[in-house]
């Protein structure tokens, strides 16, 4: 917890003079999406409020917002915890991803597309592989798909998928072998990027649909072995 709180203290400057529950929830959501708070982690009001320099009421409102987004749960007489997903949650996350991400690619206009951020996410993943940092590779994969959604140019779609990708990170934490979970999809990210660079959004959508189907099967398999087993 000390490392996570140190990172939050660094985020304190982001609050500026207009500290609000929404800004606090943005920071905590990002930290969850980056993997700083694993599922089941108890979030201390005193520690987190102190790290961010916000009042208890502001923090509680932020917790309430993230509970509404299904990232946190409040347990009576115990406190607030990062949510542990069930298999059904994982299936619903991927159902949502397939509906939104494939629709974004299908709805792209005429090429060329603005792919710099998407390409940077691939480079980020390659760097993580060189360093053997599999958690960072998972983060890079999430960044790739976040930038893919951003191609729609829709603030509403971006907002919807921010919480979906944060929930996805909670699912990734269950994996006992993050390298096996994430590494195969770096090459697939490159293939999708390549198809879009060539202006072939139809091929990119086909690659993406298979990608998401295979990733769902892999993550559900991990859950069935590690979460659902007695």
């Amino acid at each position: 917890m000390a490392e996570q709180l140190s990172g939050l203290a660094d985020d304190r400057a982001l609050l500026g003079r207009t500290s609000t529950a929404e800004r606090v929830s943005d920071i905590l959501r990002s930290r969850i999406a980056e993997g700083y708070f694993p599922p089941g982690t108890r979030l201390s009001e005193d520690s987190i409020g102190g790290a961010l320099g916000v009042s208890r009421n502001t923090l509680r409102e932020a917790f309430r917002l993230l509970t509404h987004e299904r990232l946190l749960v409040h347990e009576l007489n115990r406190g607030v915890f990062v949510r542990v997903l069930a298999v059904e949650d994982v299936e619903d996350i991927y159902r949502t991803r397939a509906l939104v991400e494939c629709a974004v690619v299908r709805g792209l206009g005429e090429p060329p597309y603005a792919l710099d951020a998407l390409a940077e996410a691939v480079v980020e993943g390659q760097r993580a592989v060189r360093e053997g940092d599999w958690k960072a590779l998972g983060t890079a994969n999430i960044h790739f798909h976040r930038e893919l959604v951003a191609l729609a140019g829709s603030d509403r779609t971006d907002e919807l998928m921010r919480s979906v990708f944060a929930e996805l990170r909670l699912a990734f934490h269950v994996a006992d072998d993050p390298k096996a979970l994430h590494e195969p999809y770096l090459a697939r990210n490159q293939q999708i990027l390549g198809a879009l660079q060539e202006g072939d959004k139809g091929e990119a959508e086909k690659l993406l649909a298979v990608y998401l189907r295979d990733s769902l099967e892999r993550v559900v398999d991990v859950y069935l072995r590690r979460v659902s087993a007695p």
Side-chain angles (χ1 to χ4, degrees):
M1 178 62 79
E3 179 183 353
Q4 291 94 324
L5 292 176
S6 175
L8 282 180
D10 294 338
D11 287 333
R12 185 171 179 172
L14 298 176
L15 295 173
R17 295 183 178 179
T18 58
S19 175
T20 65
E22 287 80 6
R23 292 296 301 275
V24 173
S25 66
D26 285 344
I27 289 172
L28 293 178
R29 185 190 305 106
S30 296
R31 287 293 178 173
I32 291 170
E34 300 294 337
Y36 285 90
F37 296 113
T41 300
R42 182 180 181 275
L43 301 184
S44 165
E45 288 185 0
D46 291 338
S47 298
I48 293 177
L52 289 175
V54 298
S55 70
R56 179 166 295 187
N57 286 340
T58 295
L59 188 59
R60 286 178 176 174
E61 176 62 13
F63 284 170
R64 187 192 67 80
L65 292 171
L66 294 177
T67 299
H68 182 70
E69 294 180 17
R70 300 174 300 276
L71 295 176
L72 304 180
V73 292
H74 179 267
E75 297 186 11
L76 189 62
N77 299 324
R78 295 193 64 217
V80 175
F81 295 80
V82 180
R83 189 161 173 248
V84 178
L85 301 184
V87 172
E88 293 77 12
D89 296 314
V90 176
E91 292 172 337
D92 195 36
I93 288 169
Y94 274 88
R95 188 180 304 115
T96 302
R97 292 186 66 193
L99 287 170
V100 174
E101 293 186 46
C102 290
V104 166
V105 174
R106 190 183 318 122
L108 291 175
E110 294 300 315
Y113 309 119
L115 302 175
D116 288 351
L118 204 63
E120 177 54 36
V122 170
V123 172
E124 179 186 349
Q126 292 169 334
R127 182 165 56 249
V129 169
R130 289 195 301 271
E131 296 172 356
D133 189 340
W134 309 116
K135 175 182 171 182
L137 178 58
T139 299
N141 282 345
I142 289 176
H143 287 171
F144 179 88
H145 289 274
R146 186 181 65 195
E147 297 300 340
L148 185 70
V149 168
L151 293 175
S154 166
D155 291 340
R156 291 176 178 83
T157 305
D158 290 343
E159 182 177 356
L160 166 68
M161 295 305 291
R162 269 198 296 271
S163 60
V164 171
F165 289 136
E167 282 192 273
L168 181 64
R169 169 62 79 177
L170 299 183
F172 286 169
H173 271 291
V174 176
D176 53 353
D177 186 352
K179 177 181 179 181
L181 182 66
H182 300 306
E183 190 174 30
Y185 298 98
L186 177 59
R188 296 190 181 202
N189 290 346
Q190 292 174 286
Q191 291 171 348
I192 293 169
L193 174 62
L196 291 175
Q197 287 172 330
E198 294 174 4
D200 191 345
K201 65 181 182 181
E203 178 64 14
E205 184 184 354
K206 290 178 183 177
L207 291 169
L208 178 61
V210 174
Y211 177 124
L212 293 174
R213 183 197 67 201
D214 292 348
S215 181
L216 170 60
E217 291 178 356
R218 170 61 178 156
V219 176
V220 166
D221 177 66
V222 170
Y223 260 74
L224 290 175
R225 288 187 288 107
R226 300 205 64 200
V227 173
S228 301

